[in-house]
């Protein structure tokens, strides 16, 4: 880190700024698609776990427990290398998007399950007495009430998802962390460790901080309403 204040090191960063831009855009792309997958899986398995159906509840528990109790790095490597060695490779980026989406989908499912269960049981019974189907009950009555419970931890999961895109480094991705490492170890760009990793951290901060503020702002808003 001794070159953090070295003008030549910062000049390298400026000359090869395209590397960091490409890495940042790849991280954004990976995050957006992984978020969509995680939200879809979270909603589906969150509803499964609160449906009252034994089979659906069991399917949800198997998915959540299996994914939450194995490392994300292992899941990424398994998907990428298993498909590659079988001759059905889907590429580094898509492997990362799917793996990260599935991983955080399990946590989203738990967030949604907890939010739904936080609604008093009487709300379910009232909806049923009014002739609402399970889907109608969830869409019109339960989910609107549980959103205030779901949103803050959901946003925190989104922030964690963005940071976990760095795991693509293990399979040679082109995300921000991977390209930063390639930059600091490159033959013509190596050596500028301090500035390179500082810029990388700043770019992650720019991406994640607004989401963190949304979560904390929402919690503060709820606190003001209660008071």
């Amino acid at each position: 880190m001794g070159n953090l204040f070295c003008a030549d090191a910062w000049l390298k960063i400026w000359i090869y700024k395209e590397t960091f831009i490409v890495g940042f855009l790849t991280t954004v792309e990976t995050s957006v698609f992984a978020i969509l997958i995680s939200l879809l899986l979270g909603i589906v398995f969150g509803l499964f776990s609160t449906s009252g159906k034994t089979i659906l509840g069991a399917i949800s528990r198997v998915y959540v427990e299996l994914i939450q109790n194995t490392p994300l790095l292992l899941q990424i490597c398994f998907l990428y290398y298993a498909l590659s060695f079988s001759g059905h490779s889907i590429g580094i980026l898509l492997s990362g998007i799917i793996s990260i989406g599935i991983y955080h989908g399990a946590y989203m499912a738990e967030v949604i399950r907890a939010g739904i269960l936080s609604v008093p049981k009487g709300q379910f019974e009232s909806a049923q007495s009014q002739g609402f189907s399970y889907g109608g009950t969830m869409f019109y009555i339960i989910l609107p009430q549980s959103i205030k419970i779901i949103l803050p931890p959901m946003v925190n999961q989104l922030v964690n998802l963005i940071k976990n895109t760095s795991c693509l480094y293990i399979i040679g991705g082109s995300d921000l962390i991977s390209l930063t490492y390639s930059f600091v170890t490159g033959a013509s760009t190596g050596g500028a460790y301090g500035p390179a990793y500082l810029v990388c951290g700043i770019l992650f901060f720019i991406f994640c901080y607004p989401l963190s503020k949304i979560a904390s702002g929402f919690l503060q808003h709820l606190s003001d309403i209660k008071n």
Side-chain angles (χ1 to χ4, degrees):
M1 289 299 189
N3 61 0
L4 185 60
F5 302 103
C6 175
D8 289 339
W10 283 102
L11 181 59
K12 283 184 181 180
I13 300 294
W14 176 252
I15 293 174
Y16 293 96
K17 59 183 178 296
E18 188 70 22
T19 298
F20 297 91
I21 294 173
V22 170
F24 179 72
L25 292 178
T26 301
T27 293
V28 171
E29 180 184 1
T30 303
S31 299
V32 169
F33 286 108
I35 285 171
L36 293 177
I37 292 173
S38 68
L39 288 175
L40 177 61
L41 293 175
I43 292 171
V44 169
F45 287 99
L47 292 176
F48 276 10
S49 64
T50 57
S51 65
K53 305 293 184 181
T54 303
I55 295 179
L56 295 181
I59 292 173
S60 178
R61 288 321 304 167
V62 169
Y63 165 66
V64 169
E65 296 298 339
L66 179 63
I67 296 301
Q68 287 189 349
N69 290 288
T70 53
L72 174 57
L73 282 176
L74 174 63
Q75 295 172 30
I76 292 175
C77 289
F78 177 81
L79 180 63
Y80 177 68
Y81 289 112
L83 290 177
S84 294
F85 289 131
S86 68
H88 299 88
S89 176
I90 58 175
I92 293 173
L93 186 60
L94 188 55
S95 296
I97 289 172
I98 293 173
S99 300
I100 295 171
I102 291 175
Y103 180 79
H104 283 278
Y107 289 92
M108 291 292 188
E110 287 294 88
V111 168
I112 292 173
R113 182 182 69 86
I116 291 174
L117 294 180
S118 69
V119 178
K121 189 176 180 180
Q123 295 290 320
F124 291 89
E125 296 171 348
S126 297
Q128 291 174 354
S129 67
Q130 295 297 318
F132 280 90
S133 64
Y134 175 74
T137 299
M138 285 295 173
F139 186 79
Y140 292 107
I141 297 174
I142 305 303
L143 291 179
Q145 295 183 65
S146 63
I147 191 66
K148 63 180 181 294
I149 304 297
I150 292 174
L151 188 58
M154 180 178 287
V155 174
N156 288 333
Q157 279 301 317
L158 298 183
V159 173
N160 288 332
L161 183 154
I162 293 168
K163 291 186 289 186
N164 278 340
T165 59
S166 60
C167 291
L168 287 180
Y169 160 75
I170 200 68
I171 56 174
S174 57
D175 61 290
L176 185 55
I177 287 288
S178 300
L179 291 188
T180 299
Y181 177 77
S182 297
F183 175 85
V184 299
T185 57
S188 60
T189 59
Y193 293 95
Y197 283 116
L198 179 61
V199 169
C200 179
I202 291 173
L203 290 174
F204 266 108
F205 180 83
I206 290 172
F207 196 6
C208 295
Y209 182 69
L211 291 174
S212 299
K213 290 298 292 182
I214 289 173
S216 60
F218 188 78
L219 286 172
Q220 182 63 48
H221 179 66
L222 290 179
S223 178
D224 293 341
I225 291 176
K226 291 179 180 178
N227 296 331

